[in-house]
Amino acid sequence: MDATATASVAAGSDGDVGMTEAAAGGGGSDNEGEDNWDNVASGSEEDNDGFGGGSDDDGGGYSDGGDAEAEADEDNDDDGGDDEDDDDEDRDMIILCSSSVGRWERYEAALEAAEAAEATKRALSSSQDVARKRQIFAPREAFAMLSRELTDFMRSGNTEMAIETAGDDLYHWLVDLGSFDPASQLGKDMREVSRRYCYSSVRLRLRFMRGLHPFFPPSVEVVWPHLAGPLLGAVASHPLLALENWDPWRPALAAVAQIKAFLEAHARVDLDNPANDIRRHPTSTYSPLERSLARLEALSGMPPVAAAQPDVAALYAAREDYERDTARLAALAEGGKKRARAEAATGAAATAAAGALAGARGREVVWARGTGYGSGSRTGESWNVEASQAAQAARDEEIRGLLAVMASALAWELGAEGPAVAGTEAAAAEQAGATEVSGSAAADGPQQQRGKAEAMEGVETEATASDAGGSGGRGSGAGASSGAGTSGFSSQGDEPLLGPGGCAEVIRASCLLPFLARELRGASFSDMGSRNSYYTALLTVIRELCRTSTAELLWSPAEQPRSPADAGAAGAPGGSSRGSGSSLAGLVTGSLRSAARLYLNVLAPSAGAPPPPGPGATTAAAPGPNVASTSAAASALPAPLRPIDKAAVAAQKAAIEADATQRMARMIGQIVEYLERHRPPPAQQQQGGAAGAADLSAHEASGRGAEAERTASGAAASTSAASGSGAGGSSATAVYLATLKPLQVDAVPDLCRSHHYASQARGEMAAPRTRAVRLAKEIASLESLLPLSESSSVFVRVDETAVHVWKALIVGPEDTPYSGGCFLFDFYFPPQYPGVPPQVHLLTTGGGRVRFNPNLYAEGKVCLSLLGTWSGDKGETWNSEVSTAVQVLISIQSLIMVPQPYFNEPSYEAQTDERGKTMSRDYSKNVRENCVRYAMLDVLRHPPVSLAEVVRQHFRLRREPLLRQIDSWADEGQAHDAAHAGRLREMRRELAALMSAL
């Protein structure tokens, strides 16, 4: 076996520069570079010396140079000498493999011990959890499989690639690819690289997911050379590496071969880029910003903006041309579905027995789920709140660490003075707290970001923690791995720099701007507050872009191609799945600024409140002479004897969250202040500045967060805008939305003066901060979460001095007996909120004479499992962590105000025969008549003061559709009840007269 190839598989520091024989001599001619092409470079001579336990003196070492091999050839010309050398090489290879396996096992055992000592188990993202469910191997079995694959490769004598581990971490590979087709463009470029920079391999970094291998794909990163175009991101996000395409039964080396084939067919080297000199840039020929953008592309699943260009679209489409076993992948996916069905069937077993005892039988669901009465066809499935939150937190942490590295990279690239917003008045007051995520990146330097850098790799954060703890005496083990992380920075200046212009260029072509826009547009402020560390990281990146050289990016349209294939089919740059032309600046200066300002205003009255007591606090007494002794006595008690004050724990948690969310809100203010002071002329904004005005339509088009919350409440069907007929209908819809949107949420004085819960609100002895913090988030989110359309809308008023008192107006959904009616509700949030649900009272009852629904009583009671006024399945009842007042409003709108409310009555759902249909028709007939009488005529004659303008504008703009609707109801009822039809026609005339006067 060739000595050079043997040495190349040795484990060593990934920061070492590998060279061919010609490179070791300080360069060489073109011929020398070509002669050594098959000798793939790897570790340095120093690192590769002495592997296998020997040294140069005893013959146990493996030198990386070609001199040892040449001398051996000269001294062993006869056949006997050759056989003896072969035996020595075989023996040394066995020693090398055994030594490597031993080091890997010791490193793995240390990690397992560290994990066992941790109190909490690391959460998994949703995709990682899918792989966990597919995993059939124990951790040690998976380790043995990967170890065997690597040692088998070491013994194979393969000269087309070389593999080494980063330190002693078996799950972190450095792969050097060589022997490219000499006729390919990459092969030609690599010969030029060999001549200029004295290395001849393409290095890849692979990170496997510990505990999930082989069922979770590794992350792949190009280390060197610097390839032309978007190849770094194209490799990182290669479809082969997507979970749905990953084949766990194929060796990892097969995936490497596929990546190599893709590079050989499509890659070119950016030969004139000075970063290709790996003696100056041994960590990577790509800057930290470029690497983090490529990793973001892989994690987010978003193609880069550059994929709208035909040539880049063709490159991305070419990635689909790889070998795959579609039948095996389909079987793997089907196996997951079967497991899910089996788990659901297990969960349904208990309810099936109860259903049999109750005489339940399989029947069609004919009423709205979620109203507390069950469906008669429950499957036992429910939303696992804790699992969902854990998966979201794991995904957030993965991307948050990546964004932190990106923010630090921007600070390092764009200058140590910090972003331009740091000079504003708002920033001066907030500078100490607002840099929680990125820290003083410019002042600290990049070296301090190594721990965060591991998150950019996407997987092994625990390895970093182990490395940081030190592993003295391990040699090339954990310490070497940590020092060689491609994502980290180096204070020795070995990282390539792009400069301000280069940063702007790579960001403009990447997926960063569309990703930031998607995340901010799709989030409510409540969600942002609950996940404040994640959104603070997003905003920190935006803040770092608030500089002269990059600010124009924030005003440019944040467009995302539909997909590489679609972009290629479009055949023109700039194709976008969204025609809104929205910009990040438009989003931040629009609804996000409004929400942040509202949040800070709501919390302002309690801003000076003292910090809440800790979890062990047993008294809430005011400070006095006995406080110190009381605290000392309490702390002297044994920990198990002190009861846990859940209220104090919740208050402390709320205070921490409020502090972080207020910093985030003030950071938004900083960014807005800078953007307003540096707003470019309209011609330069490329319609980006119009995003603030168009934010509503953009939010409805892609508001994933809001839609997710609505869907969780079952409200998606009722929040879509009514489709107008022709241009006139579209115009009327636009006018309705534009007129009513500014009226949707408002804070008004003296709301308690005419409120059902006024006495409870006035009788409160304290204003808990936990409630204030939670309500601040919810109020700030109302504008983005409340539905607004011609078909149905929700409006809210908040008492400006008592934010726990609300009044709401729900416009009945179309195609229901409540259509177009204005139904008023009073909301009260007791001091225990959010530990308990809000109290809700219906005001539109005809003075206590009308029961509009089995769930809406004449005395005003609202029967809903979410409110605790009726029992419900798990996932339907109030959850203090995720349930909100918006969910209550939308549940009433879409789950109570349904097309056939008769079937909301308990046990009536089984009446699917003709008699049941007749009863339902008669019930809806009465609801329609009372809707016109009390939810239209009465509310128009006596509108609530705080919502009077909403009532007037609603009936003014919906005049004709509402009159046509009443005509339709009258015609439909004529055949069954002529008196009912007559009453409807009479009320129609009254309503038409009132609306004509508006």
Side-chain angles (χ1 to χ4, degrees), residues 199 361 645:
Y199 65 95
R361 56 186 175 85
D645 189 339

Side-chain angles (χ1 to χ4, degrees), residues 521-753:
R521 186 182 296 121
S524 66
F525 200 84
S526 179
D527 192 32
M528 293 178 68
S530 301
R531 301 160 57 196
N532 54 72
S533 62
Y534 174 70
Y535 282 99
T536 300
L538 289 172
L539 293 167
T540 301
V541 173
I542 296 177
R543 193 179 63 172
E544 291 294 339
L545 294 174
C546 290
R547 302 169 187 258
T548 305
S549 58
T550 53
E552 59 90 14
L553 295 172
L554 300 177
W555 287 104
S556 62
E559 297 178 343
Q560 175 199 356
R562 295 183 182 90
S563 69
D566 294 341
S576 171
S577 61
R578 299 189 299 267
S580 63
S582 59
S583 68
L584 279 171
L587 290 170
V588 176
T589 59
S591 59
L592 198 57
R593 170 173 59 177
S594 175
R597 184 180 296 167
L598 189 57
Y599 177 83
L600 293 174
N601 289 342
V602 170
L603 281 186
S606 59
T618 57
T619 178
N626 296 325
V627 170
S629 60
T630 303
S631 301
S635 61
L637 292 174
L641 299 180
R642 287 183 293 174
I644 297 177
D645 189 339
K646 294 183 178 180
V649 172
Q652 188 177 45
K653 179 181 177 182
I656 295 172
E657 181 182 304
D659 184 55
T661 306
Q662 286 181 85
R663 289 200 300 271
M664 180 182 68
R666 285 192 283 267
M667 183 186 294
I668 293 172
Q670 296 174 23
I671 297 171
V672 168
E673 183 178 345
Y674 175 84
L675 292 173
E676 292 291 356
R677 289 191 296 110
H678 298 81
R679 181 186 292 268
Q684 298 180 16
Q685 293 181 27
Q686 304 179 42
Q687 301 177 348
D695 190 41
L696 170 64
S697 59
H699 184 278
E700 290 176 346
S702 58
R704 297 181 303 108
E707 196 65 32
E709 187 162 355
R710 294 168 185 165
T711 302
S713 304
S718 65
T719 58
S720 59
S723 57
S725 56
S730 299
S731 176
T733 300
V735 171
Y736 187 88
L737 298 180
T739 304
L740 274 299
K741 180 60 180 177
L743 304 175
Q744 197 165 21
V745 180
D746 197 9
V748 297
D750 300 326
L751 195 60
C752 284
R753 183 174 299 176

Side-chain angles (χ1 to χ4, degrees), residues 723-890:
S723 57
S725 56
S730 299
S731 176
T733 300
V735 171
Y736 187 88
L737 298 180
T739 304
L740 274 299
K741 180 60 180 177
L743 304 175
Q744 197 165 21
V745 180
D746 197 9
V748 297
D750 300 326
L751 195 60
C752 284
R753 183 174 299 176
S754 58
H755 198 276
H756 180 76
Y757 298 101
S759 59
Q760 291 96 315
R762 294 193 187 101
E764 289 188 1
M765 303 300 295
R769 183 159 176 83
T770 303
R771 180 181 65 180
V773 170
R774 177 62 173 268
L775 287 176
K777 288 195 307 178
E778 294 196 36
I779 293 170
S781 302
L782 290 176
E783 288 188 5
S784 62
L785 289 179
L786 290 178
L788 177 65
S789 70
E790 285 186 299
S791 64
S792 182
S793 303
V794 179
F795 302 86
V796 171
R797 295 294 178 264
V798 180
D799 192 304
E800 61 184 15
T801 59
V803 296
H804 51 287
V805 175
W806 293 11
K807 189 178 290 290
L809 185 153
I810 298 178
V811 178
E814 283 187 347
D815 301 322
T816 71
Y818 312 92
S819 179
C822 294
F823 296 84
L824 296 170
F825 296 83
D826 278 350
F827 274 64
Y828 169 66
F829 300 85
Q832 299 82 9
Y833 187 82
V836 297
Q839 298 177 24
V840 184
H841 182 83
L842 172 66
L843 300 176
T844 310
T845 61
R849 293 187 293 271
V850 178
R851 183 176 183 178
F852 272 99
N853 188 285
N855 299 74
L856 301 175
Y857 287 71
E859 63 268 24
K861 178 183 178 181
V862 178
C863 193
L864 194 67
S865 56
L866 191 60
L867 296 175
T869 50
W870 192 269
S871 60
D873 285 341
K874 181 180 179 181
E876 292 182 345
T877 55
W878 183 263
N879 184 303
S880 61
E881 293 293 327
V882 297
S883 299
T884 64
V886 169
Q887 287 181 340
V888 174
L889 286 165
I890 297 177

Side-chain angles (χ1 to χ4, degrees), residues 481-538:
S481 176
S482 176
T486 67
S487 306
F489 292 123
S490 171
S491 57
Q492 283 74 34
D494 60 5
E495 295 283 1
L497 294 179
L498 298 172
C503 286
E505 182 180 351
V506 299
I507 290 173
R508 183 179 291 107
S510 72
C511 69
L512 177 62
L513 299 179
F515 171 78
L516 295 174
R518 183 188 74 180
E519 295 299 292
L520 293 178
R521 186 182 296 121
S524 66
F525 200 84
S526 179
D527 192 32
M528 293 178 68
S530 301
R531 301 160 57 196
N532 54 72
S533 62
Y534 174 70
Y535 282 99
T536 300
L538 289 172

